[in-house]
């Protein structure tokens, strides 16, 4: 099972909770005008075609926009996700949304076998053409991919987040303590993902950490992230759930799920606490006798 599917498992467990290319403008987008606003598009895919013989596909998304000359111009790319048919791309692609103008987008998915490989030499996995306005109106939209040679080539889900207005940054540093051992001949190679809850209750991955080899007590690098990527409405709804999911990285893409916990922007803003400690829970382990947790996460 891919990292995206494991993330979906954790996301479904908190479904009743009630309480990738760097943006071209860096941490602070230009000011919004009455005629336009600035958004970030984030992508996940499901059931992509497997184009590799000895492993799975290594997908990357390239986003194009039709210009006034009616030709397609590249706007940006996500990162490549290795060995994944259900990838959740961390890196968003920024775009200016113009309220009274039709903006046609083309989303193309490629299998990148080599980091230096050109798009023209990569295997084409599928595409979607869609107006940007349709994505903005839905906020989260799932559509099938099409391919000239294949009937079924999976789907893509696009999430749109307005990034103007609030430029508050969260500086985060996570540690794991006593994580479950997942490797037969070793410990675990843990990494984590942060996912934001969307307006429809689904979750979108907004950050993926580095992988730390052979440790059950990882100390990941500190990083900064705009709070609007963690919470859609940080001013009025800072209690919206943020999903922390931890995995054991495997080279073949079958990353083992270790556990998850839920936190909120309100908790992250609590300056009275030196750190927060959360139990990592694997829902599949809850029925086992004497199961307590799969480790702890410290912020």
């Amino acid at each position: 099972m891919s990292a995206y599917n494991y993330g979906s498992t954790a996301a479904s467990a908190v479904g009743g909770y009630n309480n990738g290319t760097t943006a071209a403008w860096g941490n602070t987008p230009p000011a919004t005008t009455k005629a336009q606003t600035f958004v970030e598009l984030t992508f996940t895919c499901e059931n992509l075609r497997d184009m590799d013989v000895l492993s799975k596909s290594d997908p990357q998304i390239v986003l194009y926009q039709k210009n006034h000359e009616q030709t397609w111009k590249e706007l940006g790319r996500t990162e490549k996700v290795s060995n994944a048919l259900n990838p959740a791309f961390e890196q968003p692609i920024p775009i200016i949304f113009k309220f009274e103008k039709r903006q046609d987008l083309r989303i193309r998915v490629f299998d990148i076998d080599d980091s230096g490989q050109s798009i023209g030499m990569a295997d084409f996995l599928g595409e979607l053409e869609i107006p940007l306005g349709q994505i903005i109106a839905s906020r989260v939209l799932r559509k099938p991919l099409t391919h000239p040679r294949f009937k079924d080539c999976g789907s893509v889900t696009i999430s749109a987040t307005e990034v103007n207005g609030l430029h508050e940054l969260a500086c985060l540093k996570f540690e794991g303590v006593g994580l479950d051992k997942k490797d037969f001949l070793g410990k675990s190679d843990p990494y984590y993902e942060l996912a934001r809850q969307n307006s429809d209750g689904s979750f979108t991955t907004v950050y993926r950490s580095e992988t730390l080899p052979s440790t059950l007590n990882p100390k990941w690098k500190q990083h900064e992230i705009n709070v609007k990527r963690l919470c859609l409405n940080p001013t009025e709804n800072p209690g919206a759930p943020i999903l922390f999911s931890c995995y054991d990285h495997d080279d073949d893409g079958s990353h083992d799920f270790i556990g998850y916990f839920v936190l909120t922007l309100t908790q992250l803003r609590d300056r009275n606490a030196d750190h927060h400690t959360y139990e990592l829970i694997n829902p599949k382990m809850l029925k086992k006798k004497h199961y307590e947790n799969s480790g702890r996460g410290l912020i």
Side-chain angles (χ1 to χ4, degrees):
M1 186 178 291
S2 74
Y4 176 73
N5 282 334
Y6 276 115
S8 297
T9 300
S12 64
V14 298
Y17 186 84
N18 293 318
N19 225 38
T21 304
T22 304
W25 45 75
N27 290 326
T28 305
T32 298
T33 69
K34 294 182 179 180
Q36 64 185 31
T37 190
F38 298 87
V39 298
E40 288 181 343
L41 301 182
T42 309
F43 305 88
T44 62
C45 293
E46 289 184 311
N47 301 317
L48 297 178
R49 294 191 66 86
D50 191 354
M51 305 298 286
D52 296 341
V53 177
L54 299 178
S55 61
K56 299 176 183 176
S57 295
D58 305 310
Q60 181 180 39
I61 282 180
V62 182
L63 180 66
Y64 303 86
Q65 181 175 351
K66 186 179 288 186
N67 60 24
H68 65 281
E69 297 176 348
Q70 299 301 300
T71 58
W72 293 102
K73 179 181 179 181
E74 181 178 329
L75 291 182
R77 304 182 184 191
T78 66
E79 78 279 15
K80 180 185 80 171
V81 179
S82 299
N83 293 313
L85 302 183
N86 301 283
F89 299 97
E90 168 209 347
Q91 295 178 359
I93 299 177
I95 187 171
I96 299 172
F97 173 55
K98 300 178 180 179
F99 296 117
E100 298 180 357
K101 182 178 180 181
R102 180 182 175 93
Q103 295 169 264
D104 291 319
L105 301 181
R106 173 181 285 172
I107 301 163
R108 308 197 87 194
V109 188
F110 296 91
D111 174 23
I112 308 296
D113 293 323
D114 189 316
S115 58
Q117 184 180 32
S118 69
I119 290 297
M121 298 298 293
D123 290 324
F124 174 56
L125 298 178
E127 69 179 3
L128 169 68
E129 292 188 13
I130 189 170
L132 176 58
Q134 187 176 345
I135 300 173
I136 300 299
S138 300
R139 294 293 180 180
V140 180
L141 188 64
R142 181 181 178 183
K143 289 287 187 179
L145 294 167
T146 61
H147 194 287
R149 293 194 295 122
F150 305 117
K151 182 178 180 181
D152 186 6
C153 49
S155 63
V156 61
T157 299
I158 313 109
S159 300
T161 305
E162 190 174 10
V163 295
N164 60 281
L166 183 65
H167 311 311
E168 178 186 353
L169 294 178
C171 185
L172 304 176
K173 181 175 176 58
F174 289 92
E175 299 180 14
V177 177
L179 301 184
D180 282 351
K181 177 179 175 293
K182 291 295 185 178
D183 293 341
F184 180 70
L185 297 176
K187 297 180 181 180
S188 290
D189 305 312
Y191 72 94
Y192 71 87
E193 294 180 349
L194 295 176
R196 175 198 68 227
Q197 189 179 54
N198 300 309
S199 56
D200 65 352
S202 64
F203 283 83
T204 295
T205 300
V206 296
Y207 179 80
R208 183 177 295 112
S209 77
E210 75 278 15
T211 297
L212 298 181
S214 190
T215 179
L216 302 182
N217 300 287
K219 295 183 179 181
W220 291 285
K221 292 179 182 179
Q222 180 174 294
H223 67 95
E224 291 184 344
I225 186 170
N226 192 308
V227 297
K228 290 206 73 172
R229 296 198 64 205
L230 294 172
C231 180
L232 285 179
N233 195 338
T235 302
E236 297 182 8
N237 189 24
I242 302 167
L243 186 65
F244 177 103
S245 303
C246 188
Y247 308 90
D248 169 40
H249 181 274
D250 291 322
D251 289 339
D252 64 0
S254 57
H255 311 306
D256 298 313
F257 179 60
I258 294 176
Y260 82 95
F261 62 80
V262 174
L263 65 157
T264 69
L265 185 59
T266 299
Q267 292 167 328
L268 291 176
R269 284 170 167 167
D270 182 6
R271 300 182 183 276
N272 294 321
D274 292 333
H275 62 266
H276 302 278
T277 302
Y278 300 85
E279 289 190 336
L280 285 160
I281 299 299
N282 185 336
K284 294 182 179 179
M285 301 284 286
L286 288 175
K287 294 182 179 180
K288 290 193 174 185
K289 192 175 182 180
H290 305 306
Y291 176 76
E292 293 183 0
N293 57 58
S294 295
R296 288 177 294 132
L298 280 69
I299 307 175

